[in-house]
Amino acid sequence: MAESSKTDVRISKALSWLLRHGAEKEGLILGTGGWAKLEDVLRKPTFKKVKVDKVKEIVANCPKQRFALKEENGEFYIRANQGHSIQVDDLDLEEITIASDAESVVHGTYYRHWNSIKEQGLCRMNRTHIHFAPGLPGEAGVISGMRSSCQIFIYVDLAKALRDGFKFFKSANNVIMCSGNEAGYLPPEYFLKVVDKRTNKELV
């Protein structure tokens, strides 16, 4: 990997951590919708020597569209589109109210997690939502929502989950999210099917 690419990855990861998880710890104020003043972000020691143009380039070129950037009255603001473990007021999410709003709702995972998932369900862990993709990696409209290295695809029965009161939302970069039940889980009874990526066979 070229040195410039390594630098971009480092900056992108640092932005992700700060805007999704570390804002409060770092004393960064996130406004409504998770927006932070870019000027305040670039004052942090991690971003020493990082210029506004470099951030613009990283945001524009991020294949998963993790960030959004806007300009208001000559000042730039940046946010993470999803993936927060900190509570964000009025994050720009579109609620999914009928199953036809999302043809597929798929969570990608690994065999090392499967025994726990099939017993307890999917958990939001330290995040505010469980993340899903609207299809499989490489399909049209699938920008983010799961890693391409996932070994297992868990398809959700969206209609059943909505009927039972679970709330689903779509982020600005087309990630589908659900906060789960009071304990933060989407139980296994809402799994439509579970498929092994390599063999394309369903798991029981």
Side-chain angles (χ1 to χ4, degrees):
M1 185 183 292
E3 195 59 41
S4 60
S5 297
K6 289 181 181 178
T7 299
D8 288 1
V9 168
R10 178 185 62 77
I11 295 170
S12 179
K13 286 183 175 181
L15 285 170
S16 288
W17 179 82
L18 180 64
L19 297 171
R20 290 172 169 179
H21 315 294
E24 185 175 351
K25 180 180 178 181
E26 294 295 318
L28 179 70
I29 296 172
L30 295 185
T32 301
W35 293 100
K37 287 184 178 181
L38 183 55
E39 180 182 45
D40 292 343
V41 170
L42 297 183
R43 282 199 188 107
K44 302 300 175 185
T46 306
F47 303 100
K48 188 178 180 180
K49 298 182 180 178
V50 177
K51 305 296 184 186
V52 172
D53 284 347
K54 172 53 73 174
V55 177
K56 286 182 181 178
E57 181 185 321
I58 288 169
V59 171
N61 294 332
C62 179
K64 292 184 177 289
Q65 296 180 20
R66 292 186 176 96
F67 313 105
L69 193 67
K70 68 177 181 178
E71 184 180 5
E72 288 184 355
N73 301 319
E75 182 141 36
F76 286 100
Y77 294 81
I78 189 170
R79 75 168 183 205
N81 282 326
Q82 35 72 217
H84 302 83
S85 61
I86 52 178
Q87 197 62 45
V88 175
D89 293 331
D90 295 327
L91 189 63
D92 185 17
L93 301 176
E94 175 190 346
E95 185 171 2
I96 296 171
T97 56
I98 54 175
S100 59
D101 285 345
E103 289 186 16
S104 291
V105 178
V106 192
H107 180 86
T109 189
Y110 301 88
Y111 270 103
R112 63 180 179 271
H113 303 310
W114 174 233
N115 284 337
S116 172
I117 290 171
K118 70 181 178 182
E119 294 296 327
Q120 298 179 289
L122 293 169
C123 180
R124 66 179 182 237
M125 306 298 283
N126 67 330
R127 292 183 171 184
T128 56
H129 295 90
I130 306 161
H131 286 197
F132 304 89
L136 301 181
E139 291 182 352
V142 180
I143 301 166
S144 188
M146 76 167 76
R147 298 179 186 275
S148 58
S149 59
C150 287
Q151 299 167 316
I152 297 172
F153 299 136
I154 299 172
Y155 291 78
V156 172
D157 189 336
L158 181 59
K160 181 179 180 181
L162 289 172
R163 265 198 318 271
D164 288 353
F166 286 89
K167 299 284 189 182
F168 286 80
F169 301 89
K170 189 180 295 184
S171 71
N173 61 337
N174 216 26
V175 173
I176 296 171
M177 301 188 288
C178 175
S179 59
N181 57 21
E182 288 183 1
Y185 283 87
L186 182 69
E189 66 194 87
Y190 299 100
F191 297 172
L192 191 62
K193 62 178 179 178
V194 181
V195 177
D196 179 291
K197 174 186 175 180
R198 186 178 61 84
T199 65
N200 205 34
K201 291 183 178 178
E202 291 193 30
L203 305 179
V204 290

